[in-house]
Amino acid sequence: MPILEVKNVTKQFGGLTALDNISFHVDEGEIRGLIGPNGAGKSTMFKNIAGFYKPTSGDIHYQGQSISGRKPHQIAEMGIVRTFQETTLFQEMTVFENALVGCHTRARTDLFSAILGLDKQKQRQAADKVMEVLEFMGLSERRDQLASELPLGSQRALAISIALVSEPKLMLMDEPFAGMNPEETNHMMELTRKVRESGITIVLVEHDMKAVMGLCNYLTVLNFGQLLAQGTPEEVRSNDKVIEAYLGGAN
Amino acid sequence: MNMLIRSIVGLIILIVLLIVPHFLEFHHQDLLIFLTINVLVVASYRLVTLTGEWSLIHAVMMGVGGYTATLLFLNYELGMWFTLPTAGLLSAAVAALLCFPLLRMTQFYFLIGSFAAGEAIRLVWIQFLDPFGGTGGLSGVSPPMIGDIDFMDPIPYYYLALTVVSICLFLLYRIEKSRVGLTLHSVHWKAPLAESVGVDTWRYRALAFITGSFFVGIAGALKVHYIGTITPNQYGIGFMVFILIWVIVGGYNKFYGPIIGVIVLTMFDESIRGFDEIRPAIYGAVLILSILFLPLGLESIPGKLKAWFIGSEVVEPPLTDE
């Protein structure tokens, strides 16, 4: 059953068509790769799904419900969480506090119970959830370190932790492997698999072909805002149009 | 051990706060009351700035509280026990209405927008002689009498103000240290990341603005009950600039930064009273120097001293987001 359906989505910025009538769907439990050369529209696609952009036309369905035009926080509440390109973290906060922000929707608190201390039990549950996720991602020993002091690999793991704490059903990962050395990449691939095994569907935008081919069970290829090809990694790898797009029209 | 030191320091501060008015002359007792009220002004302003938005309307929101208390007192003879919370609630209500136009803007535009909205409110006070009394304002507000204690005297009123301000500071501190405070910080540092895990940034910016206005409204009521008069000019851009100076010189990364700022600068201002003509110049010079050499405010001094003694590098949080 598809968890995410993108139906004829077009996104224009002025005269530029960043996405041109794109349709695809993602089934529950997949690790889907969204790939393509620079400027293909991958990140734009992500922003449309996560509500940071509204499609010019077309519709996006999540669990059978239309979500295009909703606000990012509403979409996050429904269970779609995105992680960001580069390391977008709360650099000034500790690892624990970073992940705690992810509890926002699942353990909501309000001003009055915060002042009066009425939400103690909820806070404890939130803290337990955070520690469980940090444990899962191998960050529990760094819980009191500032996010800015972490090495790159741990920063990425923390970014995923923040997303995991919010208990998503669908995770959009924007270039989680960028700038990593082979060892960090391997570790990250392992973590990504673990996340999927915990029952979360993953869509990832990535340039690291080794990681993409190793992780994803199905690929969607974009080029210049158009859907170029879809298929298993093997199919895509031997697709002439894809080879041409990546190698730049070697006739 | 740490706990013990903290309790001792807390106890000393409490004792100093309680006995200090008895060692001051009348004029300084007056000043002490204004200082106490201004502590609440800067602490509540800090709550507004937690989301990263600096407004120029905080002084006016204090005025809203002041006018509310004044009108309730003059027209309905309602006592301070009623005017104080009502002033806070009305400031909060005005802030809530202003959220709709103002929070469409961020950063610099929000700053200017909030200034314009504040001036509009001030013009209402000036133009509508009835009930606001125009530029001359209103007078005749008096502090309460409880039994034999006349709060017209500075010392009883100081204790009253100290109690109210302490309760408010306690509440502000609880808010900042709670998950709500954490969310406000998250909206400041990386709004898109906060949104991506379900934080409605608009709501939290509104929450900070409204709650900050509530507390400064109470401060406005506290002030007018003591001085007895209120004019639109008391809450103009001049006072707003002072609030900004106190917060910036004190430092706004920690809860106590702005409070240190307002205390130190008030004492400094008083100590140069002898040099009346060049007083503003001295004040300005100190401000420039402190920004140059202590960009993170007075609150960063302990850390710097500590680092200097140990001989290590100072670890300071970055000034801006990126």
Side-chain angles (χ1 to χ4, degrees), chain B residues 109-132:
Chain B
Y109 302 95
F110 176 72
L111 191 79
I112 298 301
S114 66
F115 173 66
E119 285 304 293
I121 292 175
R122 259 166 32 82
L123 281 174
V124 168
W125 295 337
I126 293 170
Q127 298 298 331
F128 289 82
L129 290 177
D130 181 32
F132 299 112

Side-chain angles (χ1 to χ4, degrees), chain A residues 52 72-73 76 81-82 84 88-90 92-93 97 100-101 103-105 107-109 111 114-117 123 126, chain B residues 171 174-175 178-180 182-183 185-186 189-190 192-200 203-204 207 211 318 320-321:
Chain A
F52 287 79
H73 68 88
V81 172
R82 72 175 282 212
F84 290 79
T88 298
L89 294 168
F90 306 112
E92 304 74 13
M93 297 183 188
E97 288 169 334
L100 197 55
V101 175
C103 285
H104 184 76
T105 52
R108 191 168 289 237
T109 185
L111 199 61
I115 292 173
L116 299 171
Q123 296 310 325
Chain B
L171 296 178
R174 292 276 304 200
I175 293 171
S178 72
R179 276 248 319 284
V180 174
L182 186 73
T183 310
H185 275 291
S186 76
W189 291 116
K190 283 276 173 351
L193 179 55
E195 280 176 354
S196 80
V197 288
V199 177
D200 184 347
R203 261 191 63 193
Y204 275 81
L207 183 76
T211 315
T320 53
D321 195 356

Side-chain angles (χ1 to χ4, degrees), chain B residues 62-133:
Chain B
M62 184 179 180
V64 171
Y67 271 99
T68 306
T70 307
L71 291 172
L72 287 173
F73 183 87
L74 294 179
N75 296 331
Y76 306 102
E77 286 166 24
L78 288 161
M80 214 171 155
W81 59 271
F82 185 79
T83 61
L84 221 57
T86 314
L89 288 175
L90 204 81
S91 289
V94 171
L97 286 179
L98 285 175
C99 280
F100 291 97
L102 286 184
L103 293 187
R104 301 178 72 93
M105 300 173 256
T106 57
Q107 309 294 318
F108 190 67
Y109 302 95
F110 176 72
L111 191 79
I112 298 301
S114 66
F115 173 66
E119 285 304 293
I121 292 175
R122 259 166 32 82
L123 281 174
V124 168
W125 295 337
I126 293 170
Q127 298 298 331
F128 289 82
L129 290 177
D130 181 32
F132 299 112

Side-chain angles (χ1 to χ4, degrees), chain B residues 31-41 158 161-163 165:
Chain B
L31 207 64
L32 184 65
I33 291 171
F34 296 143
L35 175 58
T36 309
I37 295 168
N38 286 340
V39 163
L40 180 55
V41 174
Y158 166 72
L162 187 65
T163 312
V165 170

Side-chain angles (χ1 to χ4, degrees), chain A residues 79-198:
Chain A
I80 302 182
V81 172
R82 72 175 282 212
T83 67
F84 290 79
Q85 238 172 52
E86 295 156 4
T87 43
T88 298
L89 294 168
F90 306 112
Q91 302 284 351
E92 304 74 13
M93 297 183 188
T94 65
V95 168
F96 183 79
E97 288 169 334
N98 263 279
L100 197 55
V101 175
C103 285
H104 184 76
T105 52
R106 299 289 167 258
R108 191 168 289 237
T109 185
D110 62 82
L111 199 61
F112 294 102
S113 39
I115 292 173
L116 299 171
L118 296 175
D119 53 356
K120 285 235 168 67
Q121 199 194 343
K122 217 188 235 178
Q123 296 310 325
R124 207 171 310 122
Q125 283 169 359
D128 288 347
K129 175 76 195 170
V130 167
M131 282 320 290
E132 183 194 314
V133 168
L134 290 182
E135 197 87 42
F136 181 77
M137 297 298 286
L139 285 171
S140 53
E141 276 160 29
R142 295 181 181 270
R143 59 167 284 178
D144 294 321
Q145 263 178 289
L146 283 181
S148 54
E149 294 168 0
L150 297 179
L152 182 68
S154 302
Q155 291 202 356
R156 292 273 165 77
L158 178 55
I160 293 172
S161 305
I162 299 172
L164 282 182
V165 169
S166 75
E167 297 178 7
K169 297 191 190 76
L170 174 65
M171 210 153 119
L172 310 173
M173 297 168 78
D174 204 348
E175 299 198 14
F177 301 99
M180 284 188 162
N181 64 34
E183 195 185 325
E184 285 169 331
T185 303
N186 281 335
H187 182 59
M188 195 67 196
M189 284 173 71
E190 226 168 90
L191 287 177
T192 311
R193 272 194 206 103
K194 260 171 78 178
V195 169
R196 202 210 60 88
E197 276 156 26
S198 74

Side-chain angles (χ1 to χ4, degrees), chain B residues 42 44 72 93 109 146 148 174 177 213 225 235 243-244 315:
Chain B
V42 292
S44 58
L72 287 173
Y109 302 95
I146 299 175
D148 283 344
R174 292 276 304 200
K177 292 294 160 191
S213 299
H225 272 284
Y235 302 103
I243 298 176
L244 289 174
V315 185

